[in-house]
Structure formats: C-alpha cells, structure tokens
Amino acid sequence: MRIGLIGTGRIGTFHAEVLSRHPAVGSLLVADADPERAAAVATRTGATAVTVDAMFTGGGLPDALVICSATAAHALLIARAARAGLPAFCEKPIALDLPGTLGALAEVEVAGSVLQLGFMRRFDAGYAEARAAVREGRLGRLHTVRATTSDPAPPPAAYLPLSGGLYRDCLVHDFDILRWVTGREVREVYATGSDAGPAMFREAGDVDTAAVLLTLDDGTLATATATRCNGAGYDVRMELAGELDQLAVGLDDRTPLTSAEPDGPGAPPKPWPGFLERFAPAYEAELDAFLRVVRGELANPCDGREALHALRIAEACEVSRRERRPVAMTEIPGG
C-alpha cells in the first residue's frame, strides 16, 4: 500500500518509522507545514517528502492517510481526506471544540469514508485484559474505577494555549478508556482543578492538576486524576474494583511509585519517562489495525464518534470546574 502521513513532529516521526517498516506498506509519503522537517524524516525513514496539497491531488494519491499534524489542522485535513475518498487515521482530537468535531464527522458521514481515531490505550495489553475481565464478569459487579494520568514534567508554555486544557488534552484518554473498558456511559461529572503549580498554567487559564468524579449509567463510581507535575515519572494506571476481585492496569516494575511500608517495593530503577516509551507497542498495534481496516480485514476499532463521546465528557468537566457544580451529560450538546 501507498500511505501518506501529514505531520512530522514527535508522534508523526514515530508513526513514520513504524509505517516504514510495516510489511503492508510499499511506499510512504510524508508532509509537514515545515518542509525541512518533512525532508529530514523522509531521509530517516526512506519515505518521499511531498507537500500537503500533493496528498490530495494528482495521480499519486495514497491509499490512506495518517494525520499527525498540529491539532488546529485536524478537522480540515479529515474533511479533505473524506472528500478525496481517503481512509484516514487521525491522532486525537478531531478538534478542540464540539462544533469543529461535529463538522468534521459530518464530512466523513456524507463521504461514507473511514476515520479511525488514535486512542492508543485501546490497543494496550493491560487495558485489553481489564476489558475482558469486566466483560466476562471476573470482577463481579464493578463498583469503583480509579484512573490516573501523570506527566513527569509540564509541556512548553507555548503549547498550553493550543492544547485545549488538561481535561481535553490529557484526561480525554482516561474518559475514552473508561467507556471502552467498562462498556458503560458517563451519566454525570463533578470536576475540579488546581493551578497552584507553574505560573504558565494560570496565564493560559489552565490547571496543572485535576480531579474528576464520574457517575456511570449503572451507578459505578469512577475517579480520574491528572497532573503535569509528577517528578517521579510517567504514571498511567487504572484500578478496577468489583465485588469479587480487583485488577490494576499499568502496575509493573517501571511504575513510578514507592511504597511507604517497611518491606514494600522501593522506587523503580528505570521509571517510565513518557508516553511514547510506555505505549510504544500500543501505538504500533493501532497503526497495524488501521492498515487492516484499509484492506478490509477488520472493522474500524475506534471511529470518530468515539472521539466525540470523550470530548463531550471533557466539555462537561470544563463546565463543572467553571461553575463548581455537578454536570449531567444531557446538558452537553452532540449526544
């Protein structure tokens, strides 16, 4: 297959490397708003650097498109891919707001094209095992879920105004995986946040730490917490507690957690430094799944509507934090 990739930043470069060695990819085209950066990645991976417009015109159209550009360009590129009849994989989010998300989804629906979203945790072995345990009833009635995402250091200050905020940029992964693992929908949220850390968060109107209480439609209670300031390392976990058993995702010898008990485990010698290292196998698996979708071998495992569901929960959190009250999901448009 001939695959096009737009966006050669950190995650785009990673995806380009994965695609360049995939046996189903015969040729790879890469493009970026910065042509020099695209050329460097092309040299590194054996791909061909082209312009963004070349992905959608002429006789050399790719068979499918992978979108890793800046978030602000996602919706436009999704729409262009849909109009060109190109199956597309896009890193989350579709857009940072509901109108932009709904508009892009409408383009995909009208075109009848394929859009797969990059929620990589769905392809992580631990989360997949947790989903199976819940669906098979091994935990009994699920009563409590605890999810956490902790970054080891804040992003650059210039990124914050473009990120959409901690709920949309970071916790949206927890919202998606909560739905995927439990098979339930969120009924209500209550969210709060703190900007007591670096001043750049206050200047951007964002928070560096957040906590959310979510009530699911079957009464299960879930908490989701996130911070940009977890100096111990990159920590992403989910704990599921049922009437019969408990299960933890993300608990291994690299989890940046130290026991306070005299005989408990100490700090890991090599904690996870970031998301690419922690989820590298999942990132590879989601791209492999996309290529199988394009070849007609697999149903779409994470279509665009999934991004809409997660974004609506993030939007509810923003309303809750701002108005300091519980917010029912029925209050958020797009459902």
Side-chain angles (χ1 to χ4, degrees):
M1 286 191 294
R2 181 180 174 90
I3 304 297
L5 180 144
I6 299 177
T8 53
R10 187 181 180 192
I11 190 63
T13 298
F14 181 92
H15 285 332
E17 291 173 345
V18 170
L19 291 167
S20 70
R21 60 178 181 263
H22 196 287
V25 178
S27 62
L28 177 65
L29 309 176
V30 298
D32 194 282
D34 180 348
E36 290 185 3
R37 190 163 70 173
V41 171
T43 299
R44 179 173 171 178
T45 61
T48 301
V50 299
T51 66
V52 172
D53 286 341
M55 294 286 189
F56 304 99
T57 57
L61 285 176
D63 298 307
L65 189 65
V66 174
I67 300 170
C68 314
S69 64
T71 295
H74 284 187
L76 174 62
L77 292 172
I78 289 170
R80 292 186 73 179
R83 293 181 205 129
L86 292 177
F89 171 95
C90 185
E91 281 297 328
K92 67 84 186 168
I94 292 175
L96 291 178
D97 59 18
L98 288 171
T101 300
L102 291 167
L105 290 176
E107 293 271 9
V108 172
E109 185 174 350
V110 167
S113 58
V114 170
L115 173 62
Q116 181 180 326
L117 259 293
F119 282 116
M120 77 292 187
R121 295 187 194 181
R122 294 181 176 218
F123 298 87
D124 176 75
Y127 284 108
E129 172 60 19
R131 185 177 194 262
V134 171
R135 303 304 176 87
E136 293 166 11
R138 284 184 260 148
L139 306 183
R141 182 186 67 85
L142 193 65
H143 53 75
T144 308
V145 182
R146 296 176 285 271
T148 187
T149 295
S150 301
D151 289 333
Y159 174 75
L160 293 179
L162 309 175
S163 71
L166 193 59
Y167 301 103
R168 298 187 189 95
D169 180 53
C170 183
L171 276 165
V172 71
H173 280 289
D174 296 277
F175 302 151
D176 174 71
I177 206 64
L178 175 65
R179 296 180 58 251
W180 189 75
V181 167
T182 65
R184 312 304 308 189
E185 297 296 341
V186 174
R187 188 174 69 207
E188 181 183 87
V189 308
Y190 185 85
T192 188
S194 170
D195 61 4
M200 63 181 183
F201 289 96
R202 293 185 291 280
E203 294 164 0
D206 196 5
V207 294
D208 58 79
T209 304
V212 186
L213 173 63
L214 309 100
T215 303
L216 306 189
D217 57 11
D218 64 347
T220 300
L221 297 180
T223 58
T225 62
T227 185
R228 301 286 198 185
C229 306
N230 196 59
Y234 182 70
D235 188 11
V236 172
R237 281 177 288 124
M238 174 181 274
E239 300 170 2
L240 301 106
E243 291 182 335
L244 298 180
D245 204 354
Q246 291 192 104
L247 191 64
V249 179
L251 184 61
D252 58 26
D253 60 3
R254 299 190 69 180
T255 303
L257 193 64
T258 303
S259 174
E261 300 300 328
D263 298 322
K270 192 178 179 182
W272 292 110
F275 64 91
L276 276 181
E277 296 82 3
R278 166 66 178 85
F279 288 109
Y283 279 118
E284 294 202 30
E286 70 177 357
L287 283 181
D288 179 71
F290 174 61
L291 297 177
R292 292 175 62 197
V293 169
V294 174
R295 297 197 303 267
E297 299 170 1
L298 182 72
N300 192 342
C302 188
D303 69 27
R305 303 296 298 185
E306 301 302 298
L308 174 62
H309 291 311
L311 178 61
R312 290 183 64 247
I313 299 170
E315 291 289 327
C317 290
E318 288 288 3
V319 174
S320 179
R321 179 174 74 92
R322 184 172 62 248
E323 300 182 4
R324 305 178 70 85
R325 67 175 178 88
V327 174
M329 289 306 301
T330 53
E331 298 180 50
I332 307 301

